[in-house]
Amino acid sequence: MIRVRARTQRRHGLDKLHLDVLAAMNEALVAADPVRIIRKQLRLNKATLGHMAEEVERLLGKWITRGLVIIPGYLLPKPRGRRIRYRLATHPIPTRKGMNASLAMLRLVENISRDDLVIVLLSGGGSALMPLPVAGINLNDEARVTSLLLKSGANIEEINTVRKHLSQVKGGRLAEQLYPATVLSLIISDVVGDKIDAIASGPTVPDPTTYHDAEQVLKRYDLWSQIPKNARKVITQGLSGSIPETPKRKSKVFRRVHNLIVGNNRASCLAAASAMSKAGYRTQILSIQITGEAREAGRIFGSIARDIRENSLPFAPPAALIAGGETTVTVRGNGKGGRNQELALAAAVRISGSEGVVVGAFSTDGIEGRTDAAGAVADGSTINRGLRLGMDPEEFLRKNNSYHYFSRLKDLVVTGPTGANVNDIAILAADDR
């Protein structure tokens, strides 16, 4: 079990409202802990499986003959197992480490048979950790496409629609490799709405998307002419039918595949809501399907939080709203930050000057973008404190530089890598002081 704790850099002098929000974040992380999830969902009944990798090996022991798990390189110390090996890879941009690990994984199942049971463990980040480009493109091509999509403002489903059609294992193609074995996929969802085909790009799931869908995503974000020509050629070949589509629902490769979601954003939001209720707040989950531009969501959240405090809407303080999902950032500046940090900064502008209001947002995997923070916490004093340090919040938003803004205020939420990913969680809270 990886034990983490949400905290801000400003450890001292936090009032009850801030501490309650951080405590609720902790409970959300506990609910997302893979060890707890697997322990709860997986049972061994004699030789039969009922309804992530260290815990699976602990539970199943000698029933596992061999295994390989690909984990992000920042998840240290690396787990150890007797029968399961661990390989490090990179996230969010794929590199050769991930490709070599993917090849090693496929070598394990080269002689798979109908008598074998394969347990596949999937969680958010799997798309980047398991790169294996189709014939006609190389790893640099795949990495370039991923980088362009991540900066474009495309959501995870759109990004994965493209990645599925450039991969040998995504979009159901791993199921092809595992046929005719029985496959049990235990999935921790990081996709809004738990669309199972989009989680880790659905390696064991029928793919409802097509090469045409992939082309449309790239054109929608003006990337068609920017992606490497080899990637464009592969998609064009798919459009013409000269190379096969990803496997669909009626394909025989899915007849013995069982995909089960065992953890998701809903469970973590419920845990956060329970914590706020126990702390004395009227609490409600606003939504678990929040998407769109992070700064726009932040402005809305800020307005709602202010309404709780000043107008007792939707209910009187002390009150809290929990929101889950995953926003996006269209990168236009050259700053440093992440979607939750940007959301919090936009919310800070809206709640500026309002006492007794906090908006906190964080990523449950503990690492947001290329920063060491999971998110940030904003309150009614955030903007004035920033101005005293010569920081214009709108300028920092224009430059996508929310990390440095909150770093100077010591209001970044820091957890370290959690080993889990069930999307993002925002907490809007107001007290009645």
Side-chain angles (χ1 to χ4, degrees):
M1 181 182 296
I2 298 175
R3 299 186 183 276
V4 297
R5 184 167 182 81
R7 59 178 173 82
T8 64
Q9 297 164 301
R10 186 164 46 118
R11 301 185 190 186
H12 304 293
L14 293 177
D15 60 18
K16 181 179 184 300
L17 182 60
H18 286 77
L19 293 174
D20 288 340
V21 168
L22 290 172
M25 290 181 175
N26 289 327
E27 290 305 308
L29 290 174
V30 169
D33 178 25
V35 171
R36 292 172 62 95
I37 290 171
I38 294 300
R39 188 172 296 166
K40 179 179 178 181
Q41 298 288 346
L42 188 63
R43 296 289 184 271
L44 181 64
N45 181 12
K46 294 183 180 179
T48 305
L49 281 173
H51 296 202
M52 243 234 163
E54 284 182 295
E55 188 64 13
V56 168
E57 185 171 4
R58 190 192 72 80
L59 287 167
L60 302 185
K62 65 181 181 181
W63 294 98
I64 296 175
T65 57
R66 60 191 184 274
L68 189 148
V69 176
I70 306 173
I71 61 174
Y74 54 71
L75 197 61
L76 296 173
K78 185 168 68 172
R80 292 184 178 182
R82 296 182 63 184
R83 293 175 174 84
I84 297 176
R85 293 182 294 128
Y86 294 83
R87 296 284 293 265
L88 301 179
T90 56
H91 180 274
I93 305 300
T95 61
R96 185 162 295 278
K97 285 184 177 180
M99 187 174 75
N100 290 340
S102 298
L103 290 169
M105 183 177 287
L106 292 182
R107 285 195 292 271
L108 288 181
V109 295
E110 280 179 339
N111 299 312
I112 205 79
S113 75
R114 188 178 182 84
D115 297 326
D116 289 313
L117 168 65
V118 180
I119 300 175
V120 179
L121 306 177
L122 296 172
S123 66
S127 295
L129 296 174
M130 195 166 60
L132 194 59
V134 294
I137 67 171
N138 59 37
L139 185 62
N140 289 336
D141 295 329
E142 184 175 350
R144 175 62 177 162
V145 172
T146 299
S147 180
L148 287 169
L149 285 164
L150 289 172
K151 293 178 180 179
S152 70
N155 64 39
I156 190 63
E157 291 181 43
E158 293 171 319
I159 293 171
N160 287 353
T161 293
V162 177
R163 291 198 281 201
K164 289 176 187 180
H165 290 87
L166 298 176
S167 170
Q168 295 184 47
V169 292
K170 298 176 177 65
R173 285 173 168 162
L174 180 60
E176 286 183 321
Q177 308 265 9
L178 298 178
Y179 182 79
T182 296
V183 178
L184 173 63
S185 290
L186 304 178
I187 303 168
I188 296 178
S189 172
D190 72 330
V191 171
V192 175
D194 294 340
K195 291 193 67 175
I196 200 166
D197 63 277
I199 303 166
S201 295
T204 61
V205 181
D207 181 23
T209 70
T210 64
Y211 283 104
H212 176 71
D213 294 325
E215 178 195 38
Q216 290 303 111
V217 169
L218 292 165
K219 289 185 175 180
R220 185 177 306 135
Y221 294 96
D222 297 322
L223 299 178
W224 181 249
S225 62
Q226 297 184 52
I227 65 171
K229 62 180 181 180
N230 289 336
R232 199 162 53 243
K233 182 178 179 181
V234 166
I235 294 173
T236 301
Q237 289 173 334
L239 290 169
S240 68
S242 59
I243 58 175
E245 257 291 357
T246 48
K248 307 306 178 188
R249 184 172 57 86
K250 294 183 179 180
S251 172
K252 67 179 181 180
V253 305
F254 299 113
R255 290 175 186 170
R256 306 184 72 195
V257 175
H258 309 277
N259 295 296
L260 303 176
I261 292 180
V262 295
N264 57 14
N265 184 260
R266 180 178 183 273
S268 285
C269 284
L270 286 170
S274 177
M276 293 302 290
S277 293
K278 290 176 181 177
Y281 298 83
R282 300 179 183 89
T283 307
Q284 183 174 318
I285 294 178
L286 179 64
S287 173
I288 57 172
Q289 300 195 50
I290 300 297
T291 59
E293 279 288 328
R295 66 181 64 186
E296 297 304 322
R299 290 180 180 121
I300 293 170
F301 286 172
S303 297
I304 294 172
R306 192 160 192 161
D307 257 345
I308 295 173
R309 184 71 172 83
E310 298 176 0
N311 299 310
S312 296
L313 294 172
F315 34 55
L321 290 171
I322 313 298
E326 186 169 294
T327 59
T328 55
V329 174
T330 302
V331 179
R332 296 184 175 89
N334 57 359
K336 185 177 181 180
R339 55 189 180 271
N340 289 289
Q341 297 162 54
E342 187 151 314
L343 184 154
L345 183 53
V349 175
R350 286 297 170 92
I351 63 176
S352 181
S354 184
E355 294 185 1
V357 176
V358 167
V359 176
F362 74 109
S363 172
T364 54
D365 67 0
I367 301 294
E368 186 170 61
R370 297 187 177 185
T371 76
D372 58 0
V377 173
D379 58 38
S381 72
T382 297
I383 299 304
N384 285 334
R385 287 187 291 128
L387 290 172
R388 286 198 294 269
L389 295 175
M391 295 191 296
D392 177 358
E394 296 297 343
E395 180 183 358
F396 276 74
L397 283 170
R398 281 194 299 273
K399 293 182 177 179
N400 301 114
N401 201 20
S402 52
Y403 176 87
H404 288 115
Y405 189 95
F406 284 110
S407 179
R408 292 191 66 186
L409 296 181
K410 301 188 182 302
D411 279 337
L412 290 168
V413 173
V414 180
T415 66
T418 67
N421 187 351
V422 291
N423 289 130
D424 304 336
I425 295 174
I427 301 175
L428 295 57
D431 61 24
D432 57 356
R433 56 180 158 169

